[in-house]
């Protein structure tokens, strides 16, 4: 396998310590509580917790107001993430569970007898969990000399960031009250594919780190051989996280993927369009069928594509997956063997829509240059949380992300963090087994704010992530994609990138309207008069219909209605059953997608806080409490001069 191109390792954690540096912060870390519910100070257990929550809340409010600042060192980021999550301590998943009041009669609840250990915040079965956490902590603090010699040090640091987050979130979950009675809603297990283990990422990454750091089981010859192979750089290329910004990059590689000849007409049109764009370095067609299928195509388009591939002066080339030892797999478009020439890798489905050059080159690509360590999305999707605890944490996390971006813009920086620093955004723990946390796939909108994942079409990522997506440590995820009926490669790729980067995606508009505003003004903090003038000349047309190509591209989506606002959005999208929509072709497609989302997010044990949109910090950012993230961009599709970069 070819060696993956490497990029800067800026943004990697230089180390990791779970224990907070100060005694005051240490008191906030989740600990096993003694069986007694009264502290030596005379305060009851709930009172101590209440004081702790209030104190932490005041600290975070001061930070949001600018009176306290965040040190962007990697260690402090992990501590602050844990503390932020602890604001939900003792609340549990309010949407799902009912927590009995202290003065409530137990017999009246039908429980009868004395309160059992499971009624406490930490039950007696948590010893196994705590042992698991302790083992991972030991691994995180272990000597890294072997990894340094083998060249895996950057990769190990990247994985340790994910592991540290998982440990912190597992501690938070273990501190919450267990579900009492049946939850309001449960994950519908409607496929035969087993759910991924909750926090399963801890085992997967611990095993890999143990291999590259030379940890071998003397009683397991096969394990020793695996360890030797893992330390051989020829076994798999060493992965490196991309830099936080790539402003020097001038071109992008476009990746399309197909396996059948029935879409070749649209595919050819897209190739011609994309090859004609100035910033396009190349167009890579990943072909997941035998080459003979193109050679025998009755329309003649297949043979024309082959001629373009053989022409060294043509921007298009074909990667024949089967000839390179791969099977027909949606993830082939993310395989490092396709070897993109550009650092920026742009994706489209083989039948489009191929968003125009203004949206992709002048807006999306420019946004990626400034945020090359995250997924940049034209088709973003929201994963909705239900419990009050998770909603509060998502709101806080998005607030941190938005503040980081605005502070960076104000300071004139192109990247969130400096060399050797991290700028991780707090993730929200998902405690499915402990509190019944459920993730809902929000099929209604493509939100600029609060999106947790992206559909492939119109997405841009750094080529270094290809190495991670096919890394041996993530084999369990790739197996799940192959076996699950919905083959959720989009959800998986978004989860992997957000976990590795420590940040949610960035979103940009898939359509840029022609024309200019009459009063461009200062987009960052323009006065009310400028905003009113701009709005008057660029009135928002909310009643818009998706184009046929846009509707056809949303293969993995499922539309149903729960609120009046979402029903209005569904009507606005003008769903047409005549178009190729898997909702209408396969029974239970929507619930199966939701099942996959809960499985994948539960595997990592946390959900990113959600995207920040193109209009952040401008007069076009509008507060919209019922929208994902609590904000929206108005207009949804701006003119080019409205975009602040």
């Amino acid at each position: 396998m070819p060696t993956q191109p490497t990029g800067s390792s800026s943004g990697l954690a230089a180390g990791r310590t779970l224990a907070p540096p100060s005694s005051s912060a240490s008191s906030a870390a989740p600990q096993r509580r003694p069986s007694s519910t009264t502290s030596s100070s005379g305060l009851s257990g709930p009172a101590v917790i209440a004081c702790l929550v209030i104190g932490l809340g005041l600290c975070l409010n001061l930070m949001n107001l600018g009176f306290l600042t965040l040190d962007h060192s990697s260690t402090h980021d992990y501590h602050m993430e844990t503390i932020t999550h602890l604001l939900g301590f003792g609340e549990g998943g309010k949407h799902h569970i009912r927590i009995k009041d202290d003065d409530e009669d137990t017999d009246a609840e039908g429980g009868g007898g004395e309160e059992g250990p499971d009624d406490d915040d930490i039950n007696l079965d948590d010893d196994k969990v705590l042992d698991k956490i302790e083992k991972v902590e030991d691994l995180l603090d272990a000597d890294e000399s072997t990894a340094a010699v083998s060249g895996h040090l950057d990769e190990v640091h990247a994985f340790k960031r994910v592991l540290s987050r998982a440990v912190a979130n597992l501690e938070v979950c273990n501190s919450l009250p267990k579900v009492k009675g049946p939850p309001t809603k449960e994950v519908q297990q409607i496929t035969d594919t087993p759910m991924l283990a909750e926090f399963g990422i801890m085992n997967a990454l611990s095993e890999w780190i143990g291999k590259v750091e030379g940890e071998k089981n003397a009683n397991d010859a096969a394990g020793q051989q695996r360890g030797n192979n893992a330390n051989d750089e020829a076994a798999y290329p060493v992965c490196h996280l991309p830099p936080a910004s790539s402003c020097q990059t001038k071109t992008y590689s476009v990746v399309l993927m197909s396996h059948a000849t029935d879409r070749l007409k649209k595919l050819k049109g897209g190739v011609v369009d994309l090859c004609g764009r100035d910033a396009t370095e190349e167009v890579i067609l990943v072909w997941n069928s035998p080459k003979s299928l193109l050679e025998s195509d009755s329309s003649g388009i297949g043979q024309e594509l082959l001629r373009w591939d053989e022409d060294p002066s043509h921007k298009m080339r074909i990667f024949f997956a089967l000839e390179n030892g791969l099977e027909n797999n949606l993830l082939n478009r993310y395989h490092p063997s396709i070897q993109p020439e550009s650092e920026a890798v742009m994706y489209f489905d083989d039948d489009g829509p191929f968003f125009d050059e203004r949206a992709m080159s002048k807006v999306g690509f420019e946004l990626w240059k400034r945020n090359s360590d995250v997924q940049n999305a034209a088709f973003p999707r929201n994963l909705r949380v239900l419990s009050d605890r998770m909603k509060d944490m998502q709101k806080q996390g998005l607030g941190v992300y938005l503040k980081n971006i605005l502070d960076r813009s104000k300071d004139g920086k192109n990247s969130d963090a400096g060399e050797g620093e991290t700028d991780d955004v707090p993730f929200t723990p998902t405690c499915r087994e402990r509190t019944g946390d459920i993730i809902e796939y929000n099929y209604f909108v493509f939100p600029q704010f609060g999106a947790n994942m992206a559909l492939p079409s119109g997405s841009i990522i750094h080529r270094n992530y290809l190495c991670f997506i096919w890394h041996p440590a993530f084999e369990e995820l790739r197996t799940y994609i192959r076996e699950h009926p919905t083959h959720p490669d989009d959800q998986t790729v978004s989860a992997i990138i957000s976990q590795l980067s420590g940040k949610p995606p960035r979103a940009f508009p898939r359509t840029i309207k022609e024309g200019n505003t009459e009063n461009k003004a200062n987009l960052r903090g323009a006065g009310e008069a400028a905003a009113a003038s701009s709005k008057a000349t660029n009135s928002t047309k909310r009643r818009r219909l998706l184009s046929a190509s846009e509707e056809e591209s949303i293969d993995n989506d499922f539309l149903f209605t729960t609120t009046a606002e979402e029903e209005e959005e569904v009507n606005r999208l003008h769903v047409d059953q005549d178009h190729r929509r898997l909702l209408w072709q396969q029974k239970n497609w929507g619930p199966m997608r939701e099942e996959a989302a809960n499985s994948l997010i539960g595997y990592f044990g946390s959900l990113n806080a959600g995207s920040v949109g193109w209009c952040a910090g401008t007069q076009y950012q509008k507060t919209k409490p019922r929208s994902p993230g609590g904000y929206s961009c108005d207009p949804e599709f701006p003119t080019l001069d409205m975009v602040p970069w």
Side-chain angles (χ1 to χ4, degrees):
M1 184 174 296
T3 301
Q4 173 68 7
T6 61
S8 167
S9 60
S10 65
L12 292 176
R16 176 256 172 222
T17 304
L18 273 181
S22 65
S23 59
S24 59
S26 295
S27 65
Q31 303 288 338
R32 288 198 57 142
R33 284 175 47 194
S35 57
S36 172
T37 59
T38 304
S39 68
S40 59
S41 64
L43 293 176
S44 65
V48 173
I49 295 171
C51 292
L52 176 62
V53 171
I54 293 171
L56 292 173
L58 289 173
C59 288
L60 284 174
N61 285 333
L62 287 172
M63 285 189 292
N64 288 335
L65 291 172
F67 295 110
L68 293 178
T69 58
L70 283 175
D71 174 13
H72 292 299
S73 66
S74 60
T75 301
H76 195 71
D77 275 342
Y78 290 123
H79 300 160
M80 290 310 302
E81 179 179 54
T82 305
I83 291 172
T84 301
H85 289 158
L86 280 173
L87 288 176
F89 186 86
E91 290 184 337
K94 287 184 178 178
H95 188 89
H96 301 286
I97 61 177
R98 180 176 184 273
I99 303 176
K100 180 171 63 66
D101 294 333
D102 291 339
D103 58 352
E104 191 172 349
D105 185 3
T106 303
D107 290 334
E109 277 286 292
E114 297 180 359
E115 192 176 275
D118 284 348
D119 291 328
D120 202 357
D121 288 346
I122 299 177
N123 69 353
L124 298 180
D125 296 330
D126 289 338
D127 287 336
K128 293 181 180 179
V129 176
L130 296 176
D131 289 342
K132 181 177 182 180
I133 291 174
E134 184 177 356
K135 289 180 180 179
V136 174
E137 288 177 341
D138 291 341
L139 179 64
L140 291 170
D141 295 329
D143 178 71
E144 297 177 340
S145 58
T146 304
V149 171
S150 66
H152 286 80
L153 193 57
D154 286 354
E155 180 180 280
V156 167
H157 283 172
F159 286 156
K160 283 188 175 182
R161 286 175 65 188
V162 180
L163 267 179
S164 294
R165 183 180 302 112
V167 168
N169 290 327
L170 180 56
E171 288 176 328
V172 172
C173 288
N174 201 41
S175 302
L176 297 173
K178 294 192 71 174
V179 174
K180 292 177 171 63
T184 304
K185 180 178 180 180
E186 296 181 281
V187 178
Q188 298 183 55
Q189 182 70 39
I190 57 177
T191 73
D192 295 330
T193 308
M195 296 278 284
L196 291 163
E198 193 171 23
F199 290 97
I201 191 64
M202 293 175 65
N203 291 335
L205 295 186
S206 296
E207 180 181 354
W208 179 259
I209 293 174
K211 291 175 182 177
V212 299
E213 292 185 349
E215 184 176 297
K216 305 178 182 65
N217 186 348
N219 298 320
D220 184 359
Q224 183 172 353
Q225 183 62 38
R226 287 194 300 271
N228 290 335
N229 288 340
N231 283 315
D232 181 3
E233 291 190 27
Y236 191 79
V238 179
C239 300
H240 299 264
L241 285 179
S245 62
S246 301
C247 294
Q248 79 289 349
T249 304
K250 304 301 181 184
T251 62
Y252 49 73
S253 296
V254 181
V255 177
L256 311 174
M257 185 175 66
S258 191
H259 73 283
T261 58
D262 58 339
R263 302 183 192 176
L264 289 185
K265 184 176 181 181
K266 285 188 176 181
L267 174 64
K268 176 187 173 182
V271 170
V272 171
D273 177 10
L274 294 166
C275 286
R277 300 182 183 183
D278 293 338
T280 299
E281 178 71 28
E282 60 179 344
V283 174
I284 306 171
L285 172 59
V286 177
W287 185 251
N288 280 342
S289 290
K291 184 177 181 179
S292 58
L293 196 61
L294 291 174
E295 295 172 336
S296 60
D297 176 41
S298 59
S299 70
I301 298 177
Q303 295 89 332
E304 188 172 11
L305 294 176
L306 290 172
R307 288 194 296 271
W308 291 351
D309 175 54
E310 295 170 356
D311 182 358
S313 65
H314 203 284
K315 286 186 177 182
M316 195 210 76
R317 61 182 174 92
I318 303 178
F319 175 83
F320 296 98
L322 305 185
E323 294 181 6
N324 282 273
L326 303 177
E327 299 176 349
N328 183 2
N329 187 329
L330 283 173
L331 283 176
N332 287 347
R333 56 184 153 184
Y334 300 103
H335 201 283
S337 291
I338 68 175
Q339 295 184 290
E341 294 185 14
S342 297
E343 293 181 58
V345 185
M346 185 181 296
Y347 287 90
F348 289 104
D349 288 335
D350 57 347
D351 58 348
F354 305 103
F355 302 129
D356 68 27
E357 188 170 8
R358 283 181 302 171
M360 297 309 302
S361 296
K362 296 184 179 181
V363 178
F365 182 40
E366 289 297 324
L367 177 64
W368 174 89
K369 288 182 183 181
R370 295 156 173 81
N371 302 271
S372 58
D373 60 339
V374 303
Q375 187 178 33
N376 292 259
F379 260 160
R381 278 299 194 201
N382 166 251
L383 300 177
R384 185 163 47 198
V385 301
L386 302 183
S387 74
D388 291 343
R389 172 184 61 82
M390 295 184 72
K391 289 177 181 178
D392 290 342
M393 291 181 179
Q394 288 292 93
K395 182 179 180 179
Q396 293 164 5
L398 182 58
V400 171
Y401 196 25
L402 179 59
K403 183 178 185 300
N404 289 348
I405 291 170
L406 296 182
D407 287 348
R408 178 190 68 184
S409 175
K410 181 173 59 177
D411 295 339
K413 296 180 180 179
N414 287 324
S415 60
D416 290 333
E419 186 72 25
E421 298 178 333
T422 62
D423 203 10
D424 286 6
V425 175
F427 279 54
T428 297
T430 55
C431 313
R432 186 174 67 241
E433 295 299 325
R434 184 78 179 182
T435 66
D437 287 343
I438 297 295
I439 301 294
E440 286 187 343
Y441 193 109
N442 187 348
Y443 307 87
F444 311 113
V445 293
F446 297 108
Q448 286 289 310
F449 290 86
N452 312 99
M453 57 160 288
L455 302 183
S457 273
S459 65
I460 311 174
I461 66 174
H462 196 283
R463 69 182 174 194
N464 284 20
Y465 280 125
L466 306 189
C467 180
F468 283 104
I469 292 169
W470 276 87
H471 195 283
F474 294 132
E475 173 59 31
E476 194 170 10
L477 291 173
R478 293 192 297 276
T479 299
Y480 183 80
I481 293 173
R482 289 194 300 268
E483 295 179 352
H484 196 273
T486 65
H487 308 297
D489 66 314
D490 51 357
Q491 297 181 25
T492 305
V493 168
S494 294
I496 289 175
I497 293 177
S498 68
Q499 288 285 337
L500 288 169
S501 67
K503 305 174 191 176
R506 286 299 307 268
F508 63 91
R510 62 186 180 273
T511 298
I512 300 297
K513 293 182 179 180
E514 296 182 359
N516 295 311
T517 57
E518 287 184 1
N519 188 348
K520 189 169 182 178
N522 180 2
L523 295 183
R524 298 234 173 243
E528 293 184 5
S533 174
S534 175
K535 188 171 184 179
T537 56
N538 292 275
S539 58
T540 305
K541 298 179 180 179
R542 302 301 302 171
R543 300 184 61 184
R544 179 190 57 83
L545 302 183
L546 280 178
S547 67
S549 62
E550 286 179 327
E551 285 184 344
E552 289 180 350
S553 74
I554 313 171
D555 292 345
N556 288 336
D557 289 344
F558 172 66
L559 296 169
F560 57 93
T561 302
T562 58
T563 70
E565 183 173 278
E566 290 166 342
E567 182 176 6
E568 178 183 353
E569 180 69 13
V570 171
N571 292 335
R572 188 174 66 83
L573 294 181
H574 185 57
V575 178
D576 186 347
Q577 297 188 27
D578 293 334
H579 289 300
R580 183 175 55 83
R581 303 294 296 276
L582 288 177
L583 167 62
W584 317 117
Q585 296 178 359
Q586 187 167 341
K587 184 180 179 181
N588 289 327
W589 186 260
M592 287 192 294
R593 286 277 288 175
E594 191 162 289
E595 172 194 298
N598 280 276
S599 181
L600 290 164
I601 298 302
Y603 183 78
F604 287 98
S606 61
L607 177 67
N608 69 65
S611 63
V612 167
W614 68 265
C615 61
T618 74
Q619 69 263 38
Y620 309 114
Q621 177 185 333
K622 305 298 182 183
T623 300
K624 195 173 182 181
R626 297 182 64 184
S627 294
Y631 299 102
S632 65
C633 293
D634 188 2
E636 180 180 8
F637 301 128
T639 55
L640 192 59
D641 67 330
M642 292 180 178
V643 180
W645 55 84

